[in-house]
Amino acid sequence: MGRILLAAALGLAGPLAAQTSFTIYSDGRVLVRRTAAVAIPSGTSSHRLAIGLLEPGSLFGLDSGVAVVGASYDAAVDEGNTMRRAVGRELRFLVPRGSTADTVSAAVIGVNPERFRLSDGRIVFQRPGIPLYPAELVLLEPTLSLTVRSGAAKPSLRLGYFTQGASWQASYSAVLGRTVAQVSSQASIPSVTLREAQAEVQLLAGSVGRAGGMPGPPSPMAFRAQAAEMAQGPAEEQGVGEAHLYTIPGRVTLEPGVTASVALFDPASAPWERAYVVRGQLNYYGPLQQVGTEPNQVPVEVWYTLKRTPLTPFGELPLPGGTWRLYQADAGGRLQLIGESSAGHTAPGTDIRLSAGSAFDLTATRVQLTYSTRRDSLRTVATADYRVTITSAKDSAVTVEVLEERGGEWSVLQSSVPAEMQISEMRYGDRSHHTTLTR
């Protein structure tokens, strides 16, 4: 059985990674596909790789003819664990003496607590000086020892595993023209601990189940932004399972504290519409409440819809969930931010509807005018009368939707303007959920 040492502190003979490929998930998981520049003989062999942080249980071979039959992962790079590795060995300790220093030898016989046997046989519980560790005891980075079995000799070892330390987020900009918006996108990839030069990077969008394992990435540090190095155009999209995968062209360098970014798609155009909405104040479930007769000011929400017509370039794009920023030019042609919102994953052909805050020149008040209840043979029926007053300071007419949202069985008895009822139904197994909208 051959044994090849590749850890940096253990005689690294050549570059570990000839090629590295990442798939980055938005929740902080990173699927790594790495090629280690180590020759694999036919049969069973053992290898030691300085491979960085990983989830040991996720390790798998990428070549069909190579099987990982055993592995040991040591991520303890601190001094306490270095002393643990020294148990049973003799260490030299530096002892300062004024302007000079001597060295003494002592055997490490245990840790927790640390115990040392001096040259005269006595045992002490304190270090006799500053330990001088041999290089073979010190891990410069987490180290993987593994045994593989291969049916034929191979020039390299290809491994896959999960790690952490990076994530990604989608962001979008929509510049609103008179009737058409110009839409662009960016995928931002902040690295917290992940460091890799010239890696192939893919971004996976979708809700992928997680069964535990490694914790999420550490708290992010202050990031500086840079364009994705060597990226040569927008990401290429494809469906994988029930998710969507975006491959960044070229190679990307990831460094802790640096955010790389790349376009998700070429700039596109989309018709847009604006709507003003006043929402009711009813409880979605439970009895209809009596709330008093004092007027209550309610916001007039502003919503923008980007139309995504099927079979158009923008309409056919699957859009990962992210942050949307809406811009519009002022009288001098300068772009101003007029709204910022978020949207979840959006399937092709589905419009993007974005909240942009409240209208400045539109105000609304709502008051409950009457409230009564009566009992029929099966239940109590409550009836309430509301008045919504909308005031506009605009110089042109606008349409405002008044929405009353409530689950269960209810109806509008009368309205001063025509009321349109919409019923949406979502089924969960054998249960039905109804939402009624009135405007």
Side-chain angles (χ1 to χ4, degrees):
M1 181 185 297
R3 186 172 181 86
I4 303 173
L5 302 181
L6 289 175
L10 301 166
L12 180 63
L16 171 65
Q19 183 179 10
T20 303
S21 173
F22 295 133
T23 297
I24 301 176
Y25 297 68
S26 56
D27 62 4
R29 285 177 288 180
V30 181
L31 175 58
V32 183
R33 294 168 294 272
R34 189 184 294 274
T35 301
V38 49
I40 304 298
S42 176
T44 302
S45 58
S46 295
H47 310 273
R48 197 171 184 183
L49 310 176
I51 205 167
L53 290 173
L54 62 88
E55 182 182 343
S58 69
L59 186 71
F60 61 96
L62 293 175
D63 291 319
S64 58
V66 178
V68 177
V69 296
S72 174
Y73 177 64
D74 192 347
V77 298
D78 58 290
E79 185 187 11
N81 281 284
T82 303
M83 184 64 75
R84 172 181 57 80
R85 298 186 196 101
V87 171
R89 299 185 52 161
E90 188 172 276
L91 291 184
R92 297 193 65 80
F93 294 83
L94 186 67
V95 182
R97 302 188 188 278
S99 59
T100 61
D102 292 335
T103 60
V104 299
S105 296
V108 183
I109 60 175
V111 294
N112 297 323
E114 293 182 352
R115 301 172 312 276
F116 306 91
R117 179 182 289 113
L118 303 179
S119 58
D120 60 6
R122 291 179 296 172
I123 307 297
V124 296
F125 284 81
Q126 291 184 339
R127 297 180 182 183
I130 301 171
L132 303 174
Y133 297 105
E136 65 268 19
L137 294 181
V138 180
L139 294 184
L140 299 184
E141 60 178 302
T143 300
L144 175 69
S145 300
L146 75 163
T147 301
V148 299
R149 183 185 299 116
S150 178
K154 294 182 178 294
S156 60
L157 176 61
R158 298 175 63 238
L159 296 172
Y161 54 89
F162 273 94
T163 186
Q164 58 177 342
S167 60
W168 76 280
Q169 301 89 35
S171 60
Y172 304 88
S173 297
V175 179
L176 304 182
R178 184 177 297 275
T179 59
V180 175
Q182 300 300 317
V183 182
S184 58
S185 68
Q186 290 286 327
S188 298
I189 313 167
S191 175
V192 179
T193 60
L194 199 62
R195 184 189 301 275
E196 192 72 34
Q198 299 294 299
E200 178 190 74
V201 174
Q202 296 176 296
L203 310 174
L204 190 135
S207 179
V208 179
R210 184 170 191 158
M214 296 184 74
S219 299
M221 60 186 75
F223 290 103
R224 65 184 191 274
Q226 67 176 25
E229 184 177 331
M230 303 300 290
Q232 301 171 358
E236 301 174 1
E237 181 273 332
Q238 61 178 299
V240 177
E242 296 303 318
H244 287 271
L245 187 69
Y246 296 82
T247 301
I248 298 176
R251 297 275 169 171
V252 179
T253 293
L254 298 174
E255 299 179 24
V258 175
T259 298
S261 62
V262 65
L264 285 175
F265 54 81
D266 286 322
S269 60
W272 64 274
E273 298 174 351
R274 178 172 51 210
Y276 300 102
V277 177
V278 174
R279 296 186 183 275
Q281 306 297 302
L282 302 177
N283 293 332
Y284 198 77
Y285 289 112
L288 191 64
Q289 299 291 332
Q290 184 172 8
V291 296
T293 58
E294 290 297 321
N296 179 32
Q297 186 162 335
V298 292
V300 180
E301 301 173 5
V302 184
W303 289 81
Y304 290 88
T305 300
L306 301 177
K307 308 298 290 184
R308 303 222 305 143
T309 307
L311 303 181
T312 63
F314 184 58
E316 288 300 295
L317 290 172
L319 299 179
T323 300
W324 286 79
R325 294 178 179 88
L326 301 170
Y327 298 90
Q328 200 164 41
D330 61 18
R334 298 174 291 268
L335 290 181
Q336 306 293 344
L337 178 70
I338 62 169
E340 185 173 285
S341 186
S342 60
H345 299 315
T346 305
T350 303
D351 294 343
I352 300 290
R353 195 163 186 262
L354 304 168
S355 172
S358 301
F360 190 100
D361 295 327
L362 296 172
T363 57
T365 58
R366 176 185 171 89
V367 62
Q368 188 180 77
L369 299 176
T370 63
Y371 178 83
S372 63
T373 61
R374 62 180 176 83
R375 181 74 182 174
D376 63 16
S377 58
L378 298 176
R379 57 192 171 179
T380 299
V381 178
T383 304
D385 184 23
Y386 302 91
R387 181 176 65 210
V388 177
T389 303
I390 300 171
T391 304
S392 175
K394 291 182 173 292
D395 55 7
S396 59
V398 296
T399 299
V400 179
E401 295 183 60
V402 179
L403 298 183
E404 300 290 347
E405 300 171 283
R406 183 168 167 80
E409 183 181 347
W410 66 289
S411 61
V412 176
L413 300 180
Q414 62 181 16
S415 175
S416 60
V417 295
E420 175 186 337
M421 181 167 290
Q422 301 174 347
I423 299 179
S424 63
E425 181 175 336
M426 296 184 295
R427 292 192 177 274
Y428 302 91
D430 294 329
R431 299 176 59 191
S432 297
H433 174 71
H434 299 269
T435 301
T436 304
L437 308 177
T438 311
R439 63 186 181 190

